[in-house]
Amino acid sequence: PVTQQLLAVLAPRLERYQWFHAPLLLRAGMGFDDTRAEHGAIVTAVRSGPVERLEAAIRDNWEGAAARLRAA
C-alpha cells in the first residue's frame, strides 16, 4: 500500500518529465538504449535482490538520465 501511494504521487510528475526528456534526447540524436538497459537492470534487481543492488540500479538510472539530459 505504501508503494502504491508513493507511485500515485510520483506518476504525474514522472509523466511530465518523460514528455520533456524524451523529445530532447531525440532532437539531440540520442536514443533510448541506455535507458532501456538501466530499466532492465532495475527489473532484474527487483526480481533477484538484494536491496542494495536495486538501490544501485535506480541510482545508475537517475544519474544516467541526468547525464543524458545535460548532454541533450
Side-chain angles (χ1 to χ4, degrees):
V2 172
T3 302
Q4 288 176 326
Q5 291 172 350
L6 288 171
L7 288 174
V9 170
L10 289 175
R13 289 170 175 82
L14 292 173
E15 187 174 308
R16 287 192 296 268
Y17 173 75
Q18 289 170 337
W19 282 104
F20 173 74
H21 187 150
L24 283 177
L25 294 182
L26 292 174
R27 276 183 263 163
M30 302 167 79
F32 300 102
D33 291 342
D34 291 337
T35 300
R36 287 186 189 106
E38 291 162 358
H39 289 178
I42 292 169
V43 170
T44 298
V46 166
R47 290 181 175 156
S48 63
V51 71
E52 293 82 8
R53 185 173 172 191
L54 175 59
E55 181 183 2
I58 292 170
R59 186 179 300 113
D60 289 347
N61 176 241
W62 284 49
E63 289 174 355
R68 289 186 290 276
L69 187 57
R70 280 191 302 272

